[in-house]
Amino acid sequence: APIVSKNSPSLPLALYESATILSPHLYNGPRYHIYDSRSKDHQFFELEDWSEGSIYYDGQLFESVPMLYDIVKDKVVIKYIERSGLIQLQSERIKRFSYINHQFIRIEENKEAGIDLSTGFYDLLYDGKTQVLARRMKQRQEQIENNRVNVYFLPKTLFYIKKDGIYHPIHSKRAALNIFDDQKKALKKHLREQHINYRKAKEKALVQMATKYDQLLRP
């Protein structure tokens, strides 16, 4: 088996198995068990099937790693290579991970430092002078139907804009525009010109607003 340095900047799929054998700390997390397997929905972000992504874990980048992202528990799940089974990675050791064209970063709550967000993974939708982030979640609910308990996972997304080092929760178009108050008129015009309806396309609208705002402030 090829030898991979622990300090390797990235690990392609062909070397993933041998590299993780040399990095046993990757498997220090608890076993993960698929729960509510008979439910009508699932607890994962977008896909219930394995999809390859990359994980920056303990200062090392692992690429082309088959994974699942449980957004009920906010856990990244990988396959246990040496034994049959699944492992949920230790979230505090993950700096970021990429998964199905989304870039997730870990943010830890620190009110003293002005970070008034719940600790967890956030989808980085736009990364410029300002940032647009989304917290992806699902809420598990039970309903009794025909004397049977059915489980549903209802998706919920919270949006945030980071401006001047402060994270602002976004609950409406007005809230977003107020953050960009000095360019409010220009941003309203931009959304009209792009034919973007905030209620129908919140993510697209917020990304466009932040992108345009950064462009307007660019010297």
Side-chain angles (χ1 to χ4, degrees), residues 3-16:
I3 297 177
V4 180
S5 169
K6 185 177 181 181
N7 297 320
S8 298
S10 62
L11 301 169
L13 181 61
L15 303 181
Y16 171 64

Side-chain angles (χ1 to χ4, degrees), residues 14 16 32 90 107 152 165 192 219:
Y16 171 64
Y32 179 87
Q90 298 182 52
I107 298 177
Y152 297 88
R192 287 196 302 269

Side-chain angles (χ1 to χ4, degrees), residues 88-100:
Q88 59 185 43
L89 296 181
Q90 298 182 52
S91 297
E92 64 275 11
R93 295 187 173 191
I94 302 174
K95 183 177 181 180
R96 66 178 185 271
F97 67 94
S98 296
Y99 179 69
I100 51 176

Side-chain angles (χ1 to χ4, degrees), residues 2-171:
I3 297 177
V4 180
S5 169
K6 185 177 181 181
N7 297 320
S8 298
S10 62
L11 301 169
L13 181 61
L15 303 181
Y16 171 64
E17 182 169 349
S18 60
T20 50
I21 290 173
L22 298 179
S23 304
H25 62 286
L26 190 67
Y27 295 110
N28 284 342
R31 286 292 187 103
Y32 179 87
H33 301 279
I34 300 293
Y35 54 96
D36 296 317
S37 59
R38 296 182 180 180
S39 65
K40 294 184 177 181
D41 302 311
H42 61 82
Q43 60 268 51
F44 303 105
F45 175 62
E46 293 198 0
L47 299 178
E48 194 176 8
D49 297 322
W50 294 98
S51 182
E52 291 181 5
S54 63
I55 309 171
Y56 195 81
Y57 189 86
D58 267 356
Q60 184 175 357
L61 178 63
F62 294 87
E63 292 188 326
S64 301
V65 181
M67 69 174 73
L68 293 166
Y69 177 28
D70 182 336
I71 59 174
V72 174
K73 295 183 175 181
D74 200 26
K75 293 292 184 180
V76 177
V77 180
I78 65 171
K79 294 180 180 180
Y80 199 124
I81 291 179
E82 293 183 326
R83 303 176 186 176
S84 60
L86 309 177
I87 292 290
Q88 59 185 43
L89 296 181
Q90 298 182 52
S91 297
E92 64 275 11
R93 295 187 173 191
I94 302 174
K95 183 177 181 180
R96 66 178 185 271
F97 67 94
S98 296
Y99 179 69
I100 51 176
N101 297 319
H102 290 260
Q103 174 75 21
F104 290 89
I105 61 174
R106 180 171 169 82
I107 298 177
E108 296 188 359
E109 182 179 2
N110 188 339
K111 294 184 178 180
E112 293 182 358
I115 304 176
D116 194 15
L117 294 180
S118 299
T119 297
F121 296 114
Y122 290 79
D123 192 353
L124 187 56
L125 302 176
Y126 170 73
D127 188 19
K129 186 175 182 181
T130 59
Q131 289 182 337
V132 179
L133 305 104
R135 184 71 188 268
R136 312 288 189 182
M137 299 179 291
K138 284 184 178 179
Q139 297 175 330
R140 183 185 183 278
Q141 293 191 359
E142 295 182 355
Q143 292 184 359
I144 298 177
E145 300 173 356
N146 299 321
N147 296 320
R148 178 181 176 182
V149 176
N150 289 324
V151 176
Y152 297 88
F153 294 99
L154 303 181
K156 181 180 180 180
T157 302
L158 302 178
F159 294 102
Y160 300 87
I161 290 177
K162 182 182 180 183
K163 180 174 177 285
D164 299 326
I166 299 175
Y167 295 91
H168 303 269
I170 305 300
H171 303 296

